[in-house]
Amino acid sequence: MPRARRNKSRKITLAHDRRAQDLPRNAEVASVEIDDPLALEPGDKIVALRSIRNDPLGRLHSHRHIDEAQYRGGRAFQDDWEKAERGPRAVDPTREYVDGGQPREPITERQRRAVLRLNRIERELGADGVILVHEVLVLGMTMEQVALRRGLRGQRWKDYFARRFQECLDRLALIYGFATARAASRNHQRESKGR
């Protein structure tokens, strides 16, 4: 009696597909194209998954609510904030005194330049703009949380803070050099026509 042939259908996976297949239940991810770290040719790209769960800027960018210049300006602000925050620390009187403790870290040139850029941003955006940008980009708050923190409720307030945040991102893109004044005014005109 002849043997029955078995259909050998094998699932073929590509060698360059390194995306995670099993994500946690509450994961929020978006696809993003990045440079391939294992590429043989410079400039090769791969598709990776970026977590947007606690990243309001990444969420706005992945849903195409902000453009690339606004996204990069926001990331540059976050980078400057992290550099400037790492500076000298105050003495903590609640900690136990230890002989031979660590000496204070000197302020580096990168930290000094980051603080100067943050001071310029504060002058450009004003007090309200800096607070809004800090709440969203550093504290990771949503527009609803920003409005509730000020005691304001409703969709109109969320929309107002979203528009104001986009204006601040436009300004950050100009300050960091990711956009020109002409491109920012074109985006503003396009948004005002869409309302």
Side-chain angles (χ1 to χ4, degrees), residues 74-184:
R75 286 290 186 230
F77 176 85
Q78 289 174 330
D79 185 50
D80 277 350
W81 184 266
E82 289 173 5
K83 286 177 194 168
E85 190 179 48
R86 194 187 138 267
R89 304 281 182 208
V91 176
D92 187 3
T94 60
R95 293 184 63 189
E96 185 177 333
Y97 177 75
V98 178
D99 283 337
Q102 297 289 330
R104 289 187 178 184
E105 293 181 19
I107 296 175
T108 64
E109 185 62 26
R110 289 178 65 198
Q111 288 173 316
R112 191 183 72 74
R113 285 194 308 263
V115 169
L116 291 175
R117 278 191 299 267
L118 290 175
N119 288 339
R120 179 177 175 216
I121 288 168
E122 187 173 356
R123 285 191 308 273
E124 296 271 343
L125 297 181
D128 292 337
V130 169
I131 291 171
L132 177 63
V133 167
H134 182 268
E135 287 173 341
V136 176
L137 296 181
V138 176
L139 301 178
M141 297 173 72
T142 63
M143 295 306 152
E144 184 176 5
Q145 292 169 331
V146 168
L148 289 175
R149 188 172 194 179
R150 290 163 174 77
L152 305 169
R153 299 183 190 283
Q155 186 64 38
R156 290 184 68 158
W157 284 109
K158 287 191 280 187
D159 292 343
Y160 166 76
F161 286 118
R163 280 193 312 273
R164 179 71 175 112
F165 180 65
Q166 284 195 346
E167 291 170 3
C168 292
L169 286 177
D170 280 337
R171 200 74 189 147
L172 287 175
L174 284 172
I175 292 169
Y176 285 109
F178 297 119
T180 60
R182 190 181 331 172

Side-chain angles (χ1 to χ4, degrees), residues 18 29 61 69 144 170:
R18 295 183 287 274
V29 295
H61 187 250
E144 184 176 5
D170 280 337

